Amino acid sequence: MQYEVLGRTGVSVSRLCLGAMMFGSWGNPDHDDSIKIIHRAIESGVNFIDTSDNYSAGESEEIVGKALAQGGVRDRVVLATKCHFPMGADPNMRGNSRRWIMREVDNSLRRLGTDWIDLYQIHRPDPSTDIDDTLGALTDLVRAGKIRYFGTSTFPAHMIVEAQYVAARGSRERFSAEQAPYSILARGIERDVLPVCRQHRLGVLTWSPLAGGWLTGRYRKNQELPFSMRSFVVPGRYDMELPANQRKLDAVEELALLAERAGLSLVGLALAFALRHPAVTSVIIGPRTVEHLDTQLGAVSIDLDDEVLDEIDRIVPPGVTLNPHDEGWQHPEPADAALRRR
């Protein structure tokens, strides 16, 4: 395994981060099997685990907590989790307000069975909440010892910059990392998010390097589409009637041929691409089985040559995301007529 320092924190994290979204009812409901995957990853040198309060309604955090309680591995793991998405019917059980963050961090600590969280992330922007209010709550949590650092997830570049300056102006702790969507099929963050993170020395975790299954070979032309829970949660990413997804299918066919010529699996090509960008600290993998994990761990040793990278650039140009649904978050204003008209 290879390691890199997370932004300006001084904390070394593995280049592959174990994502826990598939542990629980969303993916693998077998707790013992999920714990086995976590332990296998740690034994292989992975020291970075990322989960969220909303993954399987808290079940993922509980599974990670059980795994870390076994074998005394908690101190070896850099543990990350997130808050923002609804955790109940109450309208205040969500978002980025001080009220919710201060309550939900305690819930996550309880589910994870730990006294501290290494990286606490705000899962999506919340235009209804002043960023200074969010930063104030997170700063207080750092000073209380409940979290060590905090970051964002799927924030646009201008919001990342705004948060840095608001923190400096108000003597707040600053965001230390951004978790962003990044794959060969979704390269939009190359335009602005990655340069901004490098400028402000933010660590970068990237999610969905396999494009939600598109870069595993599951979605190919002239093949029956597999069943996927994700197609119900984010249908825009999988609706084959959309021209954008047809463009993704075309790209996958070319990428599969490129991987074969390079002597790689499509999965290996996709993960090695995400790892190659110099602004990326760690790439999140989300295995559902031990077999999935084993096929992905070797990506850290793959070195893509310039010829392969140039061909990837031809298939999907730098800075281009083929389907906007893969960007993970869109500002609500363009979709709300009341916000763009007088």
Side-chain angles (χ1 to χ4, degrees):
M1 184 54 62
Q2 299 170 9
Y3 302 87
E4 191 163 319
V5 174
L6 183 68
R8 56 180 179 267
T9 67
V11 177
S12 293
V13 296
S14 48
R15 296 298 321 277
L16 291 177
C17 173
L18 181 64
M21 188 176 76
M22 301 308 292
F23 301 153
S25 60
W26 285 12
N28 187 345
D30 187 326
H31 285 208
D32 290 337
D33 193 45
S34 297
I35 290 170
K36 181 180 178 182
I37 296 169
I38 294 170
H39 286 167
R40 172 73 71 86
I42 294 172
E43 291 164 3
S44 300
V46 173
N47 76 339
F48 201 8
I49 297 177
D50 176 75
T51 183
S52 177
D53 60 350
N54 73 306
Y55 293 165
S56 298
E59 187 182 4
S60 172
E61 286 187 328
E62 292 171 355
I63 292 170
V64 171
K66 290 178 184 177
L68 296 184
Q70 298 177 14
V73 298
R74 174 64 188 95
D75 285 341
R76 294 163 48 193
V77 168
V78 179
L79 179 60
T81 191
K82 302 182 282 291
C83 75
H84 167 81
F85 285 109
M87 290 296 288
D90 189 318
N92 287 313
M93 294 176 66
R94 67 195 69 188
N96 303 346
S97 69
R98 166 180 284 272
R99 186 180 192 273
W100 177 236
I101 290 171
M102 301 300 277
R103 175 181 174 185
E104 185 60 0
V105 74
D106 285 335
N107 292 334
S108 286
L109 288 167
R110 172 179 48 78
R111 287 188 291 261
L112 290 163
T114 187
D115 294 327
W116 82 97
I117 293 163
D118 294 291
L119 179 63
Y120 196 57
Q121 301 157 105
I122 302 302
H123 211 157
R124 290 294 189 277
D126 178 3
S128 70
T129 303
D130 191 313
I131 190 64
D132 186 59
D133 196 55
T134 301
L135 287 167
L138 294 168
T139 297
D140 288 347
L141 290 173
V142 169
R143 294 171 182 173
K146 294 184 178 183
I147 65 177
R148 300 295 189 252
Y149 309 96
F150 52 83
T152 54
S153 177
T154 322
F155 271 48
H158 74 277
M159 289 186 174
I160 295 172
V161 172
E162 178 192 14
Q164 293 292 307
Y165 284 102
V166 169
R169 201 166 54 235
S171 299
R172 309 291 198 190
E173 298 285 340
R174 292 183 289 170
F175 286 119
S176 298
E178 158 64 10
Q179 183 179 141
Y182 187 47
S183 73
I184 297 175
L185 303 181
R187 303 181 61 175
I189 64 169
E190 293 175 343
R191 294 192 308 269
D192 45 23
V193 170
L194 291 180
V196 160
C197 288
R198 293 182 77 174
Q199 179 183 356
H200 291 277
R201 295 183 61 205
L202 298 181
V204 176
L205 298 72
T206 59
W207 58 267
S208 203
L210 301 180
W214 282 81
L215 294 175
T216 64
R218 295 186 72 205
Y219 301 90
R220 300 289 296 272
K221 281 194 164 186
N222 304 317
Q223 290 186 11
E224 184 177 350
L225 297 179
F227 172 80
S228 171
M229 284 296 296
R230 285 179 288 200
S231 65
F232 292 97
V233 178
V234 280
R237 298 182 70 183
Y238 300 92
D239 182 356
M240 297 304 169
E241 298 298 319
L242 295 178
N245 286 332
Q246 288 298 312
R247 289 194 292 273
K248 286 164 63 175
L249 283 175
D250 291 337
V252 169
E253 294 301 313
E254 293 194 73
L255 290 167
L257 290 174
L258 175 61
E260 184 177 355
R261 291 197 303 270
L264 300 171
S265 68
L266 184 57
V267 168
L269 178 76
L271 292 175
F273 168 82
L275 286 162
R276 180 62 179 260
H277 197 289
V280 172
T281 310
S282 185
V283 171
I284 298 172
I285 56 174
R288 187 169 45 84
T289 67
V290 171
E291 291 72 24
H292 290 166
L293 174 66
D294 289 342
T295 61
Q296 297 175 33
L297 287 173
V300 293
S301 62
I302 298 174
D303 186 18
L304 300 180
D305 60 34
D306 288 342
E307 183 179 349
V308 171
L309 291 169
D310 288 344
E311 187 64 11
I312 290 174
D313 288 349
R314 182 193 65 79
I315 296 168
V316 181
V320 170
T321 293
L322 296 180
N323 184 346
H325 288 282
D326 292 331
E327 293 178 348
W329 186 79
Q330 298 289 330
H331 201 289
E333 290 203 14
D336 189 337
L339 294 175
R340 65 177 188 269
R341 297 175 182 165
R342 298 188 182 187

